[in-house]
Amino acid sequence: MISADIQVLDMHPEHWARLLRSLTPPGGLGSWALILEEEGSVIHAVSSLRDLSHLLGRSSLDAASLRAELGMDRILILEHGALRRILKKADADLALGQDFVEQLLKIWGAIRNERGRGLRMDPPTPPGPLPPFFLLEGLFHHLWPDDTSLVLYVVDEVLERTFTSLVLRKRKGQLDLITSDRCLGEHGLRADDWRRDRGRSLELISRQIAPCHAACFCSLEAWRIFLKRPIGSGALARQQALENWIMEPLPWIWGAGLTTFSRGLRILEWLKDQT
């Protein structure tokens, strides 16, 4: 899925930084505390907010109760020896030649294996098993053909500049290139007329990188709405109607999946309102 020789070329540093910041919650990870226990007794405690030395020696801590007591966003309690077991299991499951995504799944699986035993946290991690790598790999190959690109542009209309841009290319079954609008040089997207200019930009990307399989062009306002309330929200639908959120080209199978997801969200919201 991800090439071992992946190239990151002409990546606009400000575009990349803005993208990462926009994907991070306003408070980041929020306030947190990490508690280390040995034989049920606290031997070390650190926090992003305050000194927790008063917890040393306490026993039988409950993550949810401690989170409420300290008034923090996240609590992680790690038993002595749990990290060694996590690393041992992960090391046993990893192998040379494994895809990077598969390796991450193996490591995360080893961490989740300690839940309720050597690792307790609040809020808890989502229930259920991790998706198997073969399923993710199958979707990756089925939904994104080789020798094509995926494109994202977010435009700050107030400052008349490209807020962020991202171009990904897939070859030989793997993501092999990450780049940005910078690859187009002086012929990059004209932010002051991005709705009409997007076709020209996609044509250049198709010639210089790879034909575009799917693209999203949007205003910064629409991007922020999407991050708060994704596909299916009425607010985002209004942005689509105003052409502040444009997904073209959009393969039919992607469109069908987004429609199904949208309807599912609406059903869940309706059920929530009935309770």
Side-chain angles (χ1 to χ4, degrees):
M1 292 176 68
I2 299 180
S3 173
D5 300 317
I6 188 170
Q7 301 180 75
V8 181
L9 300 176
D10 293 322
M11 192 66 209
H12 197 300
E14 292 184 3
H15 288 195
W16 183 248
R18 291 176 194 145
L19 176 63
L20 294 181
R21 283 198 299 268
S22 71
L23 295 175
T24 304
L29 294 176
S31 56
W32 54 267
L34 171 62
I35 314 296
L36 301 182
E37 290 186 347
E38 185 172 11
E39 297 181 354
S41 180
V42 176
I43 59 173
H44 188 62
V46 294
S47 163
S48 62
L49 289 183
R50 64 181 78 97
D51 176 64
L52 297 181
S53 58
H54 65 282
L55 295 179
L56 298 180
R58 281 181 54 174
S59 59
S60 303
L61 292 178
D62 174 74
S65 300
L66 184 61
R67 180 184 170 208
E69 176 187 332
L70 298 177
M72 294 188 177
D73 297 314
R74 299 176 187 276
I75 297 291
L76 191 149
I77 302 174
L78 191 65
E79 286 279 357
H80 178 71
L83 185 58
R84 182 177 65 252
R85 292 194 298 271
I86 290 170
L87 295 176
K88 183 177 180 180
K89 177 171 176 50
D91 184 63
D93 291 339
L94 296 177
L96 289 175
Q98 278 181 340
D99 185 272
F100 179 64
V101 174
E102 185 175 12
Q103 291 180 343
L104 288 178
L105 287 173
K106 297 289 187 183
I107 294 170
W108 187 238
I111 294 173
R112 286 167 61 101
N113 191 57
E114 285 291 325
R115 291 184 304 177
R117 183 170 56 142
L119 177 64
R120 308 190 306 278
M121 62 180 68
D122 193 75
T125 57
L130 290 172
F133 175 69
F134 75 84
L135 175 60
L136 295 179
E137 187 177 36
L139 289 173
F140 181 77
H141 292 317
H142 185 65
L143 297 177
W144 185 7
D146 275 354
D147 299 312
T148 62
S149 63
L150 303 182
V151 177
L152 169 68
Y153 273 92
V154 180
V155 178
D156 187 334
E157 295 186 304
V158 175
L159 298 179
E160 293 189 342
R161 70 176 184 184
T162 299
F163 176 80
T164 191
S165 61
L166 184 66
V167 182
L168 308 177
R169 184 181 67 193
K170 180 187 175 190
R171 276 187 178 171
K172 297 180 180 179
Q174 296 181 318
L175 170 62
D176 79 324
L177 175 67
I178 300 176
T179 185
S180 70
D181 183 70
R182 198 173 191 175
C183 71
L184 303 181
E186 61 182 13
H187 302 295
L189 180 72
R190 293 195 293 269
D192 60 342
D193 192 24
W194 64 271
R195 292 172 182 82
R196 288 191 295 184
D197 193 50
R198 59 189 176 84
R200 182 191 61 84
S201 298
L202 286 178
E203 185 178 344
L204 286 175
I205 290 172
S206 295
R207 289 206 306 260
Q208 297 185 25
I209 305 299
C212 179
H213 183 61
C216 176
F217 288 78
C218 64
S219 68
L220 180 56
E221 178 187 4
W223 177 247
R224 287 171 173 164
I225 289 173
F226 167 73
L227 293 178
K228 289 180 181 178
R229 300 194 66 187
I231 299 294
S233 69
L236 188 59
R238 286 191 291 274
Q239 294 298 316
Q240 288 178 293
L242 294 170
E243 292 194 333
N244 291 336
W245 178 274
I246 303 172
M247 297 186 71
E248 293 178 3
L250 182 65
W252 72 266
I253 194 169
W254 286 43
L258 291 173
T259 300
T260 302
F261 181 67
S262 169
R263 290 175 179 172
L265 283 180
R266 290 175 182 172
I267 292 172
L268 289 175
E269 288 181 357
W270 181 84
L271 291 174
K272 184 179 179 181
D273 292 339
Q274 303 308 305
T275 58

